[in-house]
Every structure is written in structure tokens, then in C-alpha cells.
């Protein structure tokens, strides 16, 4: 604390991102990045944009990228907002749709950035307890005073909630906005984007950081009714006119258009996830059924933190959350088949030593 | 308005950036971009970073870039904050140092984003009238309840305020933060960065968009006491962990290190500014003495808006502000010598037709 800090700074409890070590030979399975590189077409598009025009501001309205995203999801461009990663889109959404004095709801086990935003913007919140099986307690989200936000699939549980339940939550919150944070949806089943034309209180947020291998480029987007998109634009244009640079715009456009590459690497990740899940079960791990690019696992005889520490000693980074209810779980990102073969073999030796 | 909008959205009056037309053969002198391309070393650095690592998140702490900026300004890295353009840095600063209920002060003629931020964050403000010669009325900024912000040189007036006056303002606001927005400082005289080690209530904000030809890359930074920088980090880490992408980090590092190229193009812009100023005076324009990469001019017989419109018809874009006191001025960015030769010749013919 310091006499020059605003009350906003003083009340913050900043988010702590996963470790971003750049050590060589590190197997980095802690921040759910895609193990495959971006599409070659992304590289070409950025290359083509790497010229003297960098001296010029990018488009403040990001029209061409919004149009391409809209086309992909069969929406209109005025139903799409683009931001600097889905984290920025979520921050703008908290400002645009949630109100100090009106309590919002999100699950007690979820993306740990939500309470961080809430503190910064002075929004009160209720952490709704998950069911015993870690699934979302759907009816506890009905009639929220201030709005609802949760990821689907949820993180770090990896569990997908069916659209019928999402519809129930949307229909039972007619006076507030329901934000579905679909960072991992491409590894799961149907997206709630299909509901955007029907429900004016639904905002669906996605990112290019996971399924499109572009965590390093910072592009996320929101889809919803044009009036919700206008609210996000008003906030953005009161904050920073240009949040996505020229190279990122070019790369993101190529990424959304290269559907074949996207399908191929997404299917690869899902196939790897399935065999890894089977192998982990064989060596005594319990897993929640994952619809994401990570697994949320625990072992019947070794503490999760101990596994985390032993793996880290051997240059394998996973993510452990020191939080009630989930402190005996590890979140492990799906890597390539080779990555996961190494992981399984290390886990086997950790377990055998323990016996 | 819409029932789903927060009170923050409802009270916003978004900033309107200068037109970003991409028409061919357009002479774009409206948003103070540098007429010279970024350093060739910037291009090389981005090229080297354009690889499969784009799938990985960038550094959330941007350590290497902060260290390079610190070295250039003879500071420590903990005195430097980096953001997505100086607009984002300013937005975070409003959140970090200004408080709803405490009135801040900025000039009545200044960067038009300040009142926009203030409305978004619900900060009350007093617009302090400039002196008759458009200079800043220094003593009217003393003992501000909530803090002070202004650009030096000021925009769109182009006038530089000497550091002795800046020191007066800092020393007469011991309990609040004074933000000096130095977007154009490299075209002027001494930066207030030299005061950062002495005054704990001073924050100096700069950008790579103007003097380093990187408007398209979105990198800005703030320099101040480590406690001020910590406040900015707390806000940023409650908002978006990674606001600068891998390619922008690489480009910005190369830009700050290529001092020779920077000096060369900066001197070119200043030299062009001086002859253009002389030529404009010869054809009847009045100019404020510019310490920036733009000129703020008016003509004794033709309305500024008319000149703006006639230039636009001929594919030359300048900026006109439809605001009291300055609505008869045009803001014209300094281009290359060739650009400005074209401009002067068009202005001559506009004036001769009018006679």
C-alpha cells in the first residue's frame, strides 16, 4: 500500500498466470497451450504484413477480422467484438455488463481470473458450489441479480455442460447477461454460439490462444446481440482505440480461415487426450471426463503437489492449484503424442518408487 | 441505451480516433504517424520471432523489454511499466492513481482521450483553461485534489513546457500523482524522465507509436517510482496478464536499442518541420511554435474546416477539431520532405483560388 494508490489498486488481488519458463528441454504442460504450431498460412499472412506499414495505426474497428469471424460462425459482423486475448474481452465485459452493487454468480471452482476482475471493478460476487461430481449446479444460477459467468467446458475441471442446461440458465436470467467463456469449446461439443441469434442476454467469449495455437499473438473475441457488442465497443473506445496490432490482425484472419489445419490439429489433440486418459487410469489415476485440451487428475496414493514437484524436478511443468476441494488435483495440458509418452513414463517411475 | 448496459457503459462518451483510411495515394497527415518506416532491425527482430513459439504465451512481466527501456533511460527495470500503446498505459494509470470523488485536472485544450477515460472510470475533472497564447497555466495545476495529467508537448497545440514549470507542478502536488504524457517528447527538448528518481509522485508516459514509427505494433510505457509501477502492475494483472504479443515485444526491444536510426529519423522530422513552418508563414498561416511532429496552424482568410475539406478532396488527410477555441485550427502531421512539398503546393493553390 502506498498513499498514491487508488482504492481500486488497494482492493486488487492480481491474477497469477502459470509459470512462463523458457528453459530449454522443458516439457511445458501448465498453461494449456497447443502443442502444434500455428497454421503455415498464419505465418505467411504475418510475413506479408511485416512491412513499412507498421508505422501506421491498425484499424480501430478491426472490420476485416470481425467479418471473417462472423462468416465462420454464420453471424453478422455487428455480432462480433475482437480484443487482446479473451482476458481483455472478459475485462471489458465485466465493465460493460456487471454493476457494482449487483451480485454476479460464478462457480466456486472455475477460472481464477473472475474474482480478480470482480475485485478490480468492485463487483460483488457469489461463488456457487459445484455439485459433488464437479458438474455445474444449473438451477443455482437462475435469477441472478447481477449476471452470470462461467467457462464451458469449465476450467480446471475440464467438464462440459450440455446446451440444454445453458439454455435453462439463459432463460432464467431474462434481465441480466449470461457470459459463456468458451476458451476450450473447440475440444468439446456444441458451442453456445448457435444460441446467439435467439437470446439477447447471451455473450459467448472465445480465444485463439488454445485451439488456434496463437497464445503468443493475443486475440480473443465475443459474440452476442449487436447491443451487447455496442456496449463492448463503447468500453473499448473509452479505454484503448487499438488493442490488436497489425501483425496480430493479419495472423488471426488467416487462422480463422484455415479450417482444414484447425480441424486436423484439434482432432490430434482430442485423440491424444483419449489414449492418455486410458493410460493414466491404468496406473491408478482418477480423471474427470475431459472435453478440453487438458486433464484434471489425481492419484489414489500420492499427493498432487508431490507429483507436481517431482515432475518439475524432471523438467515437466504441470499446474497445481493450492485451493480447497481441488488441491489434490493436477491439471495437465495435452501435448503431442511424444510429449505424453514421456509424461506417462515419468509418472510410472514416480509411482513405482512410491510403492 | 439498453437494459443490459452497466452504468459505466451508459456514461461513456467514447474517443473518436483519427480516420484510418487505407486508400491508395492518400497523403495521410492526420494521426501523427512517423513518415519513416521502423528501423530495419525491428523488422529483423520480428522476423526472428515469427516461428512456432507463437503457440506459447508471451512473457507476462515483459522483463527483457523493460530492462532495455530502463537501460536507455538510465533507470532500473522496476521503474518501468510496459503496455499496449500509451493509451492502455494511460487507462491503467487512471485506474491506479485517480479516485472517483477526487477531482483531477487537465488543460481545457489537450488530448481528447482524458475526459473519455474520466467518464469511463467515473472520475470528476476540471478542465484548466490554457493561457491566451495556448501555453499551460502552470500555477492553476497546484494543489489538485485528485491528481494532474497533461501532455508535454501538449496536443494539439504542439507547445512544450519547460521542466522548471513541470517541477513546480510536481512539488505543488505532494499528495497526488502528476502524469506527464510525453507522446511527442522526442521531437522536443528535455524529457521529465530525468526527474523520476527525485519525485515519487511523477509518472512519465511515452509511446513507440510516434518517434519510433511503430503505431501499428502497440507499445507504450510508463516510468516512475517502483511503488507507482507496482500499482500499474496490480491493475494490469487484474485485467489482462499479457497485453503485448511476442512479435510486438521483439520489435519494441529492437526499436529502443537502435539509437542511431532513431536519432536519424527524428532529426529528419524536425528539419522538415522547420522548413515547412517557414513556408507556411510565407503563405499567410499562423503557427504555434511546434516541438512535436505536427503543426497547429490557421490561415488569416480561410476557415480551417474549409481547408481541411479542400485538402481531403485532393486526397490529403489532416485533422480538424470541431471544438471551441481551436475550431479554426488544423493539425498537420509532418511527413517526408516530398509529402510536405505536395502539401504546400496544394495549400498555395487553395489560397490563390480564394483571393
Amino acid at each position: 500500500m502506498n498513499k498514491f494508490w487508488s482504492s481500486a489498486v488497494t482492493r486488487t488481488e492480481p491474477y497469477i498466470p502459470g509459470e512462463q519458463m523458457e528453459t530449454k528441454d522443458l516439457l511445458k504442460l501448465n498453461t494449456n497451450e497447443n502443442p502444434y504450431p500455428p497454421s503455415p498460412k498464419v505465418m505467411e499472412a504475418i510475413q506479408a504484413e511485416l512491412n513499412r506499414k507498421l508505422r501506421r495505426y491498425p484499424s480501430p474497428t478491426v472490420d476485416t477480422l470481425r467479418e471473417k469471424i462472423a462468416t465462420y460462425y454464420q453471424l453478422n459482423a455487428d455480432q462480433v467484438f475482437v480484443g487482446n486475448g479473451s482476458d481483455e474481452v472478459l475485462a471489458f465485459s465485466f465493465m460493460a455488463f456487471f454493476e457494482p452493487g449487483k451480485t454476479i454468480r460464478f462457480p466456486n471452482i472455475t477460472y481464477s481470473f473472475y474474482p480478480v476482475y470482480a475485485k478490480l471493478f468492485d463487483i460483488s460476487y457469489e461463488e456457487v458450489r459445484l455439485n459433488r461430481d464437479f458438474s455445474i449446479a444449473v438451477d443455482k444460477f437462475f435469477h441472478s441479480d447481477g449476471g452470470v459467468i462461467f467457462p464451458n467446458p469449465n476450467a480446471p475441471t475440464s467438464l462440459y455442460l450440455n446446451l440444454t442446461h445453458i439454455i435453462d440458465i439463459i432463460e432464467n436470467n431474462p434481465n441480466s447477461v449470461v457470459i459463456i467463456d468458451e476458451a476450450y469449446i473447440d475440444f468439446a461439443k456444441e458451442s453456445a454460439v448457435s444460441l446467439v441469434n435467439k437470446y439477447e442476454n447471451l455473450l459467448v467469449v472465445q480465444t485463439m490462444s488454445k485451439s488456434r495455437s496463437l497464445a503468443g499473438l493475443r486475440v480473443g473475441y465475443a459474440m452476442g446481440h449487436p447491443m451487447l457488442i455496442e456496449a463492448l465497443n463503447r468500453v473499448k473506445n473509452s479505454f484503448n482505440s487499438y488493442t490488436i496490432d497489425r501483425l496480430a490482425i493479419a495472423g488471426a484472419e488467416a487462422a480463422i480461415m484455415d479450417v482444414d489445419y484447425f480441424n486436423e490439429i484439434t482432432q490430434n489433440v482430442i485423440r491424444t487426450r483419449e489414449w492418455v486418459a486410458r493410460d493414466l487410469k491404468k496406473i491408478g489415476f482418477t480423471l474427470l471426463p475431459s472435453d478440453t485440451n487438458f486433464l484434471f487428475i489425481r492419484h489414489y496414493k500420492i499427493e498432487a503437489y508431490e507429483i507436481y514437484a517431482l515432475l518439475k524436478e524432471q523438467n515437466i511443468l504441470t499446474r497445481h492449484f493450492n485451493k480447497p476441494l481441488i488441491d489434490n488435483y493436477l491439471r495437465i495440458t495435452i501435448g503431442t503424442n511424444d510429449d505424453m509418452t514421456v509424461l506417462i513414463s515419468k509418472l510410472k517411475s514416480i509411482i513405482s518408487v512410491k510403492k
Side-chain angles (χ1 to χ4, degrees), chain A residues 116-128:
Chain A
V116 172
Y117 294 129
K119 272 166 198 143
L120 177 64
F121 300 120
D122 212 12
I123 313 264
S124 58
Y125 57 90
E126 191 189 329
E127 295 178 285
V128 178

Side-chain angles (χ1 to χ4, degrees), chain A residues 130-161:
Chain A
L130 294 181
N131 295 320
R132 292 206 152 213
D133 62 358
F134 285 109
S135 65
I136 289 198
V138 174
D139 56 356
K140 291 192 184 135
F141 286 91
F142 294 175
H143 313 298
S144 168
D145 186 31
V148 166
I149 181 166
F150 61 87
N152 192 34
N154 195 12
T157 65
S158 77
L159 297 176
Y160 176 77
L161 186 69

